[in-house]
Amino acid sequence: MIAVMANLLNYDVYDLELTGVENNTELKMLLMEISSKSIIVIEDIDCSLDLTGQRKKAATYEDSEEEEDEKEKKEGKEKGTKTSKVTLSGLLNFIDGLWSACGGERVIVFTTNHVEKLDQALIRKGRMDKHIELSYCTYEAFKVLARNYLNVESHHLFPKIRELLREVDMTPADVAEHLTTKTLMKDARICLEGLISAIQRKTEARLKKKLSAKGAKSSRKMIGQGRV
């Protein structure tokens, strides 16, 4: 999606790794060096820094800021990594602060698997104007993939696949993997049958897991009754 945006707008793409940025000042300098007409990408932002809304409390006399700094340096040394001092405030200024207005024509993209962990100030409208969920594969998405990879608009196996996709969560990438299987004649039927088999295996595995969990729960209940 980012590549499509860059090609459409004719923008450069910058991949920013927050854990490699030492502090807010360095983050600001990086912003000033980024050219206009660019897309700045921060992937898996929930894993980059502590941006979960758990803002640090003021240090007490017993645990001063200096002690905190020494503690963080020690932890970073033990892990063999550089400790980043980038704060939520610094990141917010990076997105829409004074220095972010210099140059302009920039698009900032965050990716995350856990949007609920991020501070609301970071993802509110006005900062992150567009929230796009890349969900599991729907039947409509499957038809697009089938058209792109197999050049097939319709097939007698489509209704079966539609029924199965309602029951199982499967990513578009997993679906595409089965549609791009190499066959001697690039037979659409073989690819679609392979996809059906993969979805059915996933369904069976999910059902088996559910029954196993149900059996374990019943077993714990019986043990509890025996103790009573």
mmCIF file of all heavy atoms in Angstrom, residues 60-87:
data_model
loop_
_atom_site.group_PDB
_atom_site.id
_atom_site.type_symbol
_atom_site.label_atom_id
_atom_site.label_comp_id
_atom_site.label_asym_id
_atom_site.label_seq_id
_atom_site.Cartn_x
_atom_site.Cartn_y
_atom_site.Cartn_z
ATOM 1 N N THR A 60 10.661 10.737 42.195
ATOM 2 C CA THR A 60 10.637 11.087 43.618
ATOM 3 C C THR A 60 12.059 11.271 44.114
ATOM 4 O O THR A 60 13.017 11.041 43.398
ATOM 5 C CB THR A 60 9.954 9.962 44.414
ATOM 6 O OG1 THR A 60 10.723 8.780 44.253
ATOM 7 C CG2 THR A 60 8.543 9.716 43.918
ATOM 8 N N TYR A 61 12.163 11.727 45.393
ATOM 9 C CA TYR A 61 13.496 11.915 45.962
ATOM 10 C C TYR A 61 14.236 10.595 46.044
ATOM 11 O O TYR A 61 15.456 10.532 45.885
ATOM 12 C CB TYR A 61 13.360 12.548 47.357
ATOM 13 C CG TYR A 61 12.873 13.966 47.322
ATOM 14 C CD1 TYR A 61 11.577 14.270 47.719
ATOM 15 C CD2 TYR A 61 13.696 14.991 46.874
ATOM 16 C CE1 TYR A 61 11.105 15.582 47.667
ATOM 17 C CE2 TYR A 61 13.234 16.304 46.828
ATOM 18 C CZ TYR A 61 11.948 16.586 47.227
ATOM 19 O OH TYR A 61 11.508 17.868 47.166
ATOM 20 N N GLU A 62 13.489 9.506 46.337
ATOM 21 C CA GLU A 62 14.139 8.209 46.485
ATOM 22 C C GLU A 62 14.611 7.655 45.134
ATOM 23 O O GLU A 62 15.567 6.897 45.062
ATOM 24 C CB GLU A 62 13.172 7.202 47.132
ATOM 25 C CG GLU A 62 12.830 7.483 48.590
ATOM 26 C CD GLU A 62 11.827 8.605 48.726
ATOM 27 O OE1 GLU A 62 11.139 8.916 47.714
ATOM 28 O OE2 GLU A 62 11.733 9.195 49.821
ATOM 29 N N ASP A 63 13.892 8.022 44.070
ATOM 30 C CA ASP A 63 14.227 7.496 42.741
ATOM 31 C C ASP A 63 14.335 8.677 41.799
ATOM 32 O O ASP A 63 13.416 8.999 41.077
ATOM 33 C CB ASP A 63 13.131 6.516 42.292
ATOM 34 C CG ASP A 63 13.560 5.740 41.063
ATOM 35 O OD1 ASP A 63 14.747 5.816 40.705
ATOM 36 O OD2 ASP A 63 12.704 5.061 40.468
ATOM 37 N N SER A 64 15.443 9.356 41.833
ATOM 38 C CA SER A 64 15.631 10.583 41.071
ATOM 39 C C SER A 64 15.793 10.290 39.583
ATOM 40 O O SER A 64 15.971 9.160 39.164
ATOM 41 C CB SER A 64 16.871 11.331 41.581
ATOM 42 O OG SER A 64 18.026 10.547 41.337
ATOM 43 N N GLU A 65 15.756 11.358 38.788
ATOM 44 C CA GLU A 65 15.931 11.217 37.345
ATOM 45 C C GLU A 65 17.315 10.676 37.011
ATOM 46 O O GLU A 65 17.482 9.910 36.065
ATOM 47 C CB GLU A 65 15.723 12.574 36.664
ATOM 48 C CG GLU A 65 14.264 13.034 36.679
ATOM 49 C CD GLU A 65 14.078 14.331 35.909
ATOM 50 O OE1 GLU A 65 15.086 14.810 35.346
ATOM 51 O OE2 GLU A 65 12.961 14.839 35.875
ATOM 52 N N GLU A 66 18.318 11.084 37.820
ATOM 53 C CA GLU A 66 19.671 10.600 37.560
ATOM 54 C C GLU A 66 19.745 9.093 37.760
ATOM 55 O O GLU A 66 20.397 8.382 36.999
ATOM 56 C CB GLU A 66 20.665 11.299 38.498
ATOM 57 C CG GLU A 66 20.845 12.784 38.169
ATOM 58 C CD GLU A 66 21.868 13.437 39.080
ATOM 59 O OE1 GLU A 66 22.393 12.725 39.977
ATOM 60 O OE2 GLU A 66 22.146 14.625 38.903
ATOM 61 N N GLU A 67 19.077 8.612 38.802
ATOM 62 C CA GLU A 67 19.072 7.177 39.045
ATOM 63 C C GLU A 67 18.357 6.437 37.919
ATOM 64 O O GLU A 67 18.763 5.349 37.519
ATOM 65 C CB GLU A 67 18.390 6.889 40.395
ATOM 66 C CG GLU A 67 19.203 7.349 41.597
ATOM 67 C CD GLU A 67 18.418 7.206 42.896
ATOM 68 O OE1 GLU A 67 17.181 7.072 42.813
ATOM 69 O OE2 GLU A 67 19.040 7.226 43.968
ATOM 70 N N GLU A 68 17.280 7.047 37.408
ATOM 71 C CA GLU A 68 16.551 6.444 36.287
ATOM 72 C C GLU A 68 17.444 6.354 35.058
ATOM 73 O O GLU A 68 17.450 5.354 34.351
ATOM 74 C CB GLU A 68 15.302 7.273 35.962
ATOM 75 C CG GLU A 68 14.132 7.065 36.910
ATOM 76 C CD GLU A 68 13.534 5.679 36.765
ATOM 77 O OE1 GLU A 68 13.368 5.221 35.617
ATOM 78 O OE2 GLU A 68 13.282 5.036 37.782
ATOM 79 N N ASP A 69 18.205 7.445 34.798
ATOM 80 C CA ASP A 69 19.103 7.451 33.644
ATOM 81 C C ASP A 69 20.154 6.362 33.758
ATOM 82 O O ASP A 69 20.451 5.650 32.786
ATOM 83 C CB ASP A 69 19.794 8.817 33.511
ATOM 84 C CG ASP A 69 18.811 9.908 33.087
ATOM 85 O OD1 ASP A 69 17.723 9.538 32.594
ATOM 86 O OD2 ASP A 69 19.141 11.100 33.247
ATOM 87 N N GLU A 70 20.752 6.242 34.962
ATOM 88 C CA GLU A 70 21.767 5.220 35.178
ATOM 89 C C GLU A 70 21.183 3.817 34.997
ATOM 90 O O GLU A 70 21.819 2.929 34.437
ATOM 91 C CB GLU A 70 22.365 5.359 36.586
ATOM 92 C CG GLU A 70 23.263 6.564 36.766
ATOM 93 C CD GLU A 70 24.452 6.538 35.824
ATOM 94 O OE1 GLU A 70 25.010 5.439 35.596
ATOM 95 O OE2 GLU A 70 24.810 7.602 35.299
ATOM 96 N N LYS A 71 19.965 3.652 35.478
ATOM 97 C CA LYS A 71 19.291 2.359 35.365
ATOM 98 C C LYS A 71 19.070 1.987 33.904
ATOM 99 O O LYS A 71 19.319 0.857 33.476
ATOM 100 C CB LYS A 71 17.960 2.411 36.114
ATOM 101 C CG LYS A 71 17.219 1.082 36.151
ATOM 102 C CD LYS A 71 15.923 1.241 36.938
ATOM 103 C CE LYS A 71 15.137 -0.070 36.943
ATOM 104 N NZ LYS A 71 13.852 0.075 37.666
ATOM 105 N N GLU A 72 18.587 2.964 33.117
ATOM 106 C CA GLU A 72 18.324 2.705 31.704
ATOM 107 C C GLU A 72 19.613 2.445 30.936
ATOM 108 O O GLU A 72 19.656 1.598 30.044
ATOM 109 C CB GLU A 72 17.571 3.889 31.095
ATOM 110 C CG GLU A 72 16.130 3.988 31.583
ATOM 111 C CD GLU A 72 15.396 5.148 30.952
ATOM 112 O OE1 GLU A 72 15.974 5.796 30.051
ATOM 113 O OE2 GLU A 72 14.250 5.411 31.348
ATOM 114 N N LYS A 73 20.661 3.183 31.271
ATOM 115 C CA LYS A 73 21.949 2.959 30.613
ATOM 116 C C LYS A 73 22.468 1.561 30.901
ATOM 117 O O LYS A 73 23.007 0.880 30.037
ATOM 118 C CB LYS A 73 22.974 4.006 31.083
ATOM 119 C CG LYS A 73 22.738 5.390 30.492
ATOM 120 C CD LYS A 73 23.763 6.370 31.030
ATOM 121 C CE LYS A 73 23.520 7.782 30.500
ATOM 122 N NZ LYS A 73 24.483 8.750 31.051
ATOM 123 N N LYS A 74 22.314 1.129 32.163
ATOM 124 C CA LYS A 74 22.766 -0.192 32.561
ATOM 125 C C LYS A 74 22.004 -1.278 31.825
ATOM 126 O O LYS A 74 22.580 -2.247 31.337
ATOM 127 C CB LYS A 74 22.609 -0.356 34.084
ATOM 128 C CG LYS A 74 23.161 -1.667 34.604
ATOM 129 C CD LYS A 74 23.004 -1.747 36.120
ATOM 130 C CE LYS A 74 23.556 -3.069 36.638
ATOM 131 N NZ LYS A 74 23.377 -3.182 38.102
ATOM 132 N N GLU A 75 20.674 -1.085 31.728
ATOM 133 C CA GLU A 75 19.854 -2.069 31.021
ATOM 134 C C GLU A 75 20.223 -2.130 29.548
ATOM 135 O O GLU A 75 20.296 -3.206 28.958
ATOM 136 C CB GLU A 75 18.371 -1.702 31.170
ATOM 137 C CG GLU A 75 17.838 -1.935 32.576
ATOM 138 C CD GLU A 75 16.398 -1.459 32.720
ATOM 139 O OE1 GLU A 75 15.890 -0.835 31.757
ATOM 140 O OE2 GLU A 75 15.803 -1.704 33.780
ATOM 141 N N GLY A 76 20.461 -0.956 28.948
ATOM 142 C CA GLY A 76 20.854 -0.921 27.549
ATOM 143 C C GLY A 76 22.195 -1.580 27.317
ATOM 144 O O GLY A 76 22.395 -2.280 26.327
ATOM 145 N N LYS A 77 23.133 -1.388 28.285
ATOM 146 C CA LYS A 77 24.462 -1.997 28.172
ATOM 147 C C LYS A 77 24.383 -3.499 28.290
ATOM 148 O O LYS A 77 25.045 -4.241 27.574
ATOM 149 C CB LYS A 77 25.375 -1.422 29.265
ATOM 150 C CG LYS A 77 26.830 -1.801 29.113
ATOM 151 C CD LYS A 77 27.678 -1.096 30.152
ATOM 152 C CE LYS A 77 29.147 -1.451 29.980
ATOM 153 N NZ LYS A 77 29.992 -0.785 30.994
ATOM 154 N N GLU A 78 23.536 -3.983 29.209
ATOM 155 C CA GLU A 78 23.379 -5.423 29.386
ATOM 156 C C GLU A 78 22.782 -6.072 28.153
ATOM 157 O O GLU A 78 23.126 -7.183 27.781
ATOM 158 C CB GLU A 78 22.487 -5.697 30.598
ATOM 159 C CG GLU A 78 23.156 -5.378 31.926
ATOM 160 C CD GLU A 78 22.196 -5.533 33.085
ATOM 161 O OE1 GLU A 78 20.994 -5.750 32.837
ATOM 162 O OE2 GLU A 78 22.655 -5.417 34.238
ATOM 163 N N LYS A 79 21.866 -5.362 27.482
ATOM 164 C CA LYS A 79 21.222 -5.909 26.283
ATOM 165 C C LYS A 79 22.077 -5.680 25.043
ATOM 166 O O LYS A 79 21.796 -6.215 23.981
ATOM 167 C CB LYS A 79 19.855 -5.249 26.075
ATOM 168 C CG LYS A 79 18.857 -5.602 27.170
ATOM 169 C CD LYS A 79 17.549 -4.866 26.936
ATOM 170 C CE LYS A 79 16.547 -5.176 28.039
ATOM 171 N NZ LYS A 79 15.285 -4.420 27.853
ATOM 172 N N GLY A 80 23.122 -4.864 25.185
ATOM 173 C CA GLY A 80 23.987 -4.568 24.057
ATOM 174 C C GLY A 80 23.345 -3.639 23.041
ATOM 175 O O GLY A 80 23.665 -3.655 21.872
ATOM 176 N N THR A 81 22.384 -2.830 23.477
ATOM 177 C CA THR A 81 21.690 -1.917 22.585
ATOM 178 C C THR A 81 21.744 -0.501 23.128
ATOM 179 O O THR A 81 21.937 -0.278 24.312
ATOM 180 C CB THR A 81 20.210 -2.322 22.430
ATOM 181 O OG1 THR A 81 19.594 -2.338 23.722
ATOM 182 C CG2 THR A 81 20.092 -3.690 21.790
ATOM 183 N N LYS A 82 21.544 0.456 22.220
ATOM 184 C CA LYS A 82 21.519 1.863 22.607
ATOM 185 C C LYS A 82 20.121 2.200 23.112
ATOM 186 O O LYS A 82 19.129 1.898 22.460
ATOM 187 C CB LYS A 82 21.883 2.729 21.397
ATOM 188 C CG LYS A 82 21.939 4.209 21.699
ATOM 189 C CD LYS A 82 22.458 4.986 20.507
ATOM 190 C CE LYS A 82 21.510 4.942 19.352
ATOM 191 N NZ LYS A 82 21.933 5.828 18.251
ATOM 192 N N THR A 83 20.045 2.826 24.281
ATOM 193 C CA THR A 83 18.754 3.183 24.856
ATOM 194 C C THR A 83 18.250 4.469 24.215
ATOM 195 O O THR A 83 18.922 5.488 24.241
ATOM 196 C CB THR A 83 18.876 3.372 26.370
ATOM 197 O OG1 THR A 83 19.395 2.183 26.943
ATOM 198 C CG2 THR A 83 17.514 3.656 26.979
ATOM 199 N N SER A 84 17.040 4.406 23.647
ATOM 200 C CA SER A 84 16.455 5.586 23.007
ATOM 201 C C SER A 84 15.786 6.469 24.050
ATOM 202 O O SER A 84 15.114 5.989 24.951
ATOM 203 C CB SER A 84 15.438 5.158 21.956
ATOM 204 O OG SER A 84 14.810 6.293 21.398
ATOM 205 N N LYS A 85 15.988 7.783 23.906
ATOM 206 C CA LYS A 85 15.377 8.751 24.808
ATOM 207 C C LYS A 85 14.237 9.505 24.128
ATOM 208 O O LYS A 85 13.799 10.544 24.620
ATOM 209 C CB LYS A 85 16.439 9.746 25.292
ATOM 210 C CG LYS A 85 17.501 9.148 26.187
ATOM 211 C CD LYS A 85 16.923 8.859 27.557
ATOM 212 C CE LYS A 85 18.026 8.419 28.524
ATOM 213 N NZ LYS A 85 17.482 8.135 29.854
ATOM 214 N N VAL A 86 13.774 8.999 22.988
ATOM 215 C CA VAL A 86 12.659 9.646 22.305
ATOM 216 C C VAL A 86 11.401 9.475 23.148
ATOM 217 O O VAL A 86 11.074 8.380 23.596
ATOM 218 C CB VAL A 86 12.435 9.031 20.905
ATOM 219 C CG1 VAL A 86 11.177 9.609 20.256
ATOM 220 C CG2 VAL A 86 13.643 9.289 20.023
ATOM 221 N N THR A 87 10.690 10.577 23.379
ATOM 222 C CA THR A 87 9.496 10.548 24.214
ATOM 223 C C THR A 87 8.245 10.698 23.348
ATOM 224 O O THR A 87 8.321 11.041 22.161
ATOM 225 C CB THR A 87 9.520 11.689 25.240
ATOM 226 O OG1 THR A 87 9.496 12.946 24.537
ATOM 227 C CG2 THR A 87 10.780 11.606 26.100
#
